[in-house]
Amino acid sequence: MTLIDLANPTKFLSLTARVLPWLAGAAAILLLIGFYQAATAPDDYQQGATVKIMFIHVPNAWLSMFVWGVMSVAALGTLVWRHPLADVAAKAAAPIGAAFTFLALVTGSLWGRPMWGTYWEWDARLTSVLILFLMYLGLMALWRAVDDPSRAARAAAVLTLVGALNLPIIKFSVDWWNTLHQPASVMRIGGSSLDRAFLIPLLVMAIGFTLLFVTLHLAAMRNEILRRRVRSLQMMQASQQAA
Amino acid sequence: MSLGPYASYIVTSYTLVAAIVLILIVWIAIDYRHQKERLRELEASGVTRRSGRQATDI
């Protein structure tokens, strides 16, 4: 099966039916291993046991941006290549991305309270991630507000690409401005500054959460394709009844 | 495993992540059932796809 074949929703549905159980199983196994490693990881010499929040905060923060990146590629697919599944992919990803962004914000607050002495600070990193969360909600509202799916797809694609400008701001906010948030410690020039005792569980959790996203995204895309099939059949039914 | 004086923050974080992930999984599963049910109803009412296949066929 080639990539072109996947442009056909029926072939895409057939593929997802085959791969979803394997993806879900792999995600569950990795998350269980990651959770065990996080539970048994040593305390940090400064942060104590609160470092365990990092193992769920960082994967959710990474996914909050990754999902918008996926939606941005899908937006290009809608506007440039007119790929039939591009809008399906973007629309299915938005609520999942919003959930991961919400979790990144809340776990960050719960980590910040004991470490910084505050749940929230209006600094560049926290504020730019909050804006990302609001953009997810705005996009979801846009898809619901516009009745014509092709008009909604184009408007959402434009908004997604405009919103993608926020991604480098989030990434480099800790370098460009003074912030309570620590600078990058995993993906940085010169390699990770994390000890292996923390880095390995973090990477396992990050891969596990990413596989979880791929699983949920494919399942949500399958639902969206079926929803569109329902809509077109209802329209056929209505036109048959009118004739 | 001792979680120290900030155990409540750690436990709340993990519980919240588990709850939201579970909600996502259940929501997607319920949505799938709902769409399949709507397709079965349309199929029962005699509507067929342009390809001639059943509404619920993949």
Side-chain angles (χ1 to χ4, degrees):
Chain A
M1 184 178 284
T2 64
L3 201 60
I4 295 290
D5 289 334
L6 293 179
N8 180 327
T10 303
K11 286 189 175 158
F12 179 84
L13 287 177
S14 160
L15 176 77
T16 53
R18 285 203 305 270
V19 301
L20 269 179
W22 294 99
L23 277 172
I29 289 167
L30 273 175
L31 287 173
L32 281 174
I33 294 170
F35 180 75
Y36 173 76
Q37 288 180 323
T40 54
D43 288 354
D44 180 71
Y45 81 106
Q46 281 183 320
Q47 302 186 36
T50 56
V51 75
K52 293 188 192 307
I53 297 176
M54 173 182 72
F55 302 119
I56 47 173
H57 170 71
V58 173
N60 280 294
W62 137 254
L63 278 172
S64 69
M65 293 195 289
F66 177 73
V67 175
W68 197 279
V70 168
M71 288 166 53
S72 300
V73 174
L76 285 175
T78 298
L79 294 174
V80 181
W81 302 297
R82 314 252 166 145
H83 193 289
L85 289 181
D87 182 56
V88 168
K91 191 178 176 191
I96 306 170
F100 287 133
T101 310
F102 172 76
L103 286 174
L105 285 166
V106 176
T107 55
S109 284
L110 287 165
W111 194 10
R113 180 68 183 89
M115 293 300 101
W116 301 337
T118 179
Y119 284 109
W120 185 261
E121 184 68 36
W122 290 101
D123 76 358
R125 171 58 69 85
L126 278 65
T127 307
S128 55
V129 176
L130 178 63
I131 289 169
L132 180 69
F133 177 62
L134 295 176
M135 289 192 312
Y136 273 117
L137 298 185
L139 259 182
M140 288 158 61
L142 177 67
W143 267 302
R144 292 181 76 90
V146 181
D147 279 339
D148 178 5
S150 62
R151 275 186 58 220
R154 283 194 299 276
V158 171
L159 189 58
T160 304
L161 291 175
V162 172
L165 296 174
N166 192 30
L167 297 184
I169 294 174
I170 295 172
K171 168 69 181 155
F172 296 109
S173 57
V174 288
D175 303 320
W176 293 342
W177 293 287
N178 284 325
T179 165
L180 273 178
H181 198 281
Q182 66 180 66
S185 51
V186 180
M187 283 186 271
R188 61 195 276 276
I189 296 166
S192 168
S193 60
L194 279 179
D195 187 87
R196 285 172 61 87
F198 301 121
L199 182 62
I200 290 172
L202 179 59
L203 291 178
V204 172
M205 286 291 251
I207 297 168
F209 269 97
T210 306
L211 279 179
L212 173 69
F213 161 67
V214 174
T215 308
L216 294 175
H217 188 212
L218 288 179
M221 281 179 72
R222 175 194 61 189
N223 293 354
E224 185 58 28
I225 290 169
L226 295 181
R227 195 179 344 275
R228 289 176 189 210
R229 186 181 288 177
V230 167
R231 187 176 188 274
S232 69
L233 288 174
Q234 283 173 334
M235 288 172 75
M236 280 170 65
Q237 188 181 40
S239 65
Q240 282 169 6
Q241 284 167 352
Chain B
M1 178 179 63
S2 166
L3 295 178
Y6 302 117
S8 60
Y9 294 97
I10 301 166
V11 172
T12 305
S13 297
Y14 276 80
T15 306
L16 197 69
V17 170
I20 297 285
V21 167
L22 196 65
I23 287 169
L24 273 176
I25 293 169
V26 170
W27 168 63
I28 288 172
I30 289 174
D31 189 28
Y32 179 63
R33 279 189 180 188
H34 183 57
Q35 300 311 323
K36 292 287 271 187
E37 184 58 38
R38 290 170 77 187
L39 284 170
R40 267 193 291 275
E41 285 168 10
L42 284 162
E43 195 174 290
S45 70
V47 185
T48 52
R49 290 156 65 189
R50 271 175 296 203
S51 61
R53 278 185 273 190
Q54 299 283 313
T56 48
D57 280 357
I58 282 183

